[in-house]
Amino acid sequence: MFKNVIVRRPGKSLIEGITSAPELGKPDYELALKQHDDYIKALESCGVEVTVLESLEEYPDSCFVEDTAVLTPRCAIISNPGADTRRGESALMVDTIKKFYTDEQIEYIKSPGTMEGGDVMMVGDHFYIGLSARTNEEGCRQFKEALEKHGHTCSVVPLEKVLHLKTGVNYIENNNMLVSGEFIEKEDFKSFSKLIVPESEAYGANCIWVNDTVIVPLGYPVVEKSIREAGYNVIVTDTSEYRKLDGGLSCLSLRF
Ligand code: GLY
């Protein structure tokens, strides 16, 4: 179960965030703020305490806090983002993370290693890390070493198409995994019970499990139905403005 969540308010500079889908248009900042409010309410209704950090105008993508660290029951691993414009975000999370972890529990990914938390999926004590455009081989090596030091295990999953591992695959506990596109047939995930996400709803693969509730983005009815049929409580919340920046539900928080 998760007790804590960290989020960061989006700044007005959000509209300059990195995107692979400029055809979706720029985010509407006021609507993004409202969606962020709703996201926090959804999390709180799952019984977690939400720490809300101030916006950072100098970092347009800094509301996507998931990329700055990986927080486990035993340790915190501070990332080193692969995107140049995001590199400084991780250091700005450390003071907050120190409120929850001792210095001995905190590890750091260092250059030339790069790693973003969106590439990391936790399944109990085991962690999958995507080798991606943002997380390089040295980042994977350092991450595995840090996890093993604290008694976790790790395996590397090379990505072919998507930005981050959790863009396309998300574990929702009870051996259930939402899988889309390149992950549907991946050998690494063959032992899980798969909820297949159709290509037309690929963005909907990025759902988050929070204490037996699954938060699902608005507008993905096939995904929502399959999660309900698997027996979960579901909260639907709109992330349309974050989608314009390749951001999803998981990207917007650190859950631990
Ligand atoms: N816009 C989120 C990211 O590309 O990191």
Side-chain angles (χ1 to χ4, degrees):
M1 299 290 267
F2 295 129
K3 283 194 198 137
N4 292 293
V5 170
I6 300 171
V7 301
R8 187 182 289 288
R9 295 297 274 170
K12 290 197 178 77
S13 62
L14 177 75
I15 60 167
E16 305 304 337
I18 306 169
T19 182
S20 66
E23 69 280 6
L24 297 178
K26 298 259 189 201
D28 174 325
Y29 180 59
E30 292 305 321
L31 184 53
L33 282 179
K34 183 192 174 302
Q35 291 179 353
H36 205 256
D37 288 337
D38 292 344
Y39 180 70
I40 292 169
K41 281 184 206 137
L43 289 164
E44 285 173 339
S45 75
C46 299
V48 292
E49 182 149 338
V50 183
T51 299
V52 183
L53 304 178
E54 301 267 304
S55 59
L56 292 172
E57 290 298 344
E58 61 275 41
Y59 292 103
D61 288 292
S62 56
C63 60
F64 300 121
V65 283
E66 178 177 64
D67 292 317
T68 64
V70 172
L71 305 181
T72 90
R74 298 179 194 159
C75 63
I77 302 176
I78 311 298
S79 76
N80 188 29
D84 291 344
T85 58
R86 304 198 60 190
R87 189 83 26 96
E89 289 177 29
S90 298
L92 296 169
M93 293 297 292
V94 174
D95 283 350
T96 303
I97 288 169
K98 283 189 172 178
K99 294 185 178 143
F100 300 96
Y101 293 85
T102 64
D103 286 348
E104 290 68 37
Q105 288 177 298
I106 302 180
E107 309 289 341
Y108 297 84
I109 304 297
K110 298 188 180 105
S111 295
T114 64
M115 186 272 268
E116 296 190 2
D119 274 321
V120 177
M121 179 170 68
M122 178 173 77
V123 179
D125 274 343
H126 188 76
F127 290 74
Y128 293 91
I129 182 163
L131 176 61
S132 73
R134 301 283 184 87
T135 296
N136 65 15
E137 282 189 23
E138 174 59 15
C140 291
R141 192 198 64 72
Q142 290 181 27
F143 182 69
K144 189 166 189 285
E145 186 176 84
L147 281 175
E148 287 173 354
K149 180 174 161 191
H150 294 274
H152 293 299
T153 55
C154 176
S155 48
V156 178
V157 182
L159 304 193
E160 290 153 30
K161 293 186 183 147
V162 294
L163 173 65
H164 285 133
L165 180 68
K166 284 190 301 220
T167 308
V169 55
N170 285 272
Y171 186 59
I172 53 171
E173 304 296 322
N174 308 324
N175 205 46
N176 291 321
M177 190 170 273
L178 283 160
V179 286
S180 68
E182 66 190 81
F183 302 104
I184 296 171
E185 299 299 336
K186 275 255 190 244
E187 192 67 12
D188 310 67
F189 305 130
K190 70 173 192 288
S191 64
F192 294 98
S193 173
K194 290 180 192 153
L195 282 66
I196 308 277
V197 175
E199 194 54 38
S200 59
E201 293 197 11
Y203 176 83
N206 188 253
C207 295
I208 51 174
W209 176 95
V210 187
N211 303 346
D212 293 334
T213 291
V214 178
I215 307 181
V216 179
L218 178 69
Y220 302 89
V222 175
V223 173
E224 183 185 336
K225 183 162 178 279
S226 71
I227 295 171
R228 286 189 193 280
E229 285 175 356
Y232 295 95
N233 301 320
V234 167
I235 298 176
V236 176
T237 193
D238 195 358
T239 54
S240 64
E241 301 317 289
Y242 300 97
R243 183 181 171 213
K244 293 173 181 172
L245 302 176
D246 306 322
L249 285 164
S250 77
C251 314
L252 288 167
S253 62
L254 285 163
R255 305 160 298 282
F256 59 105

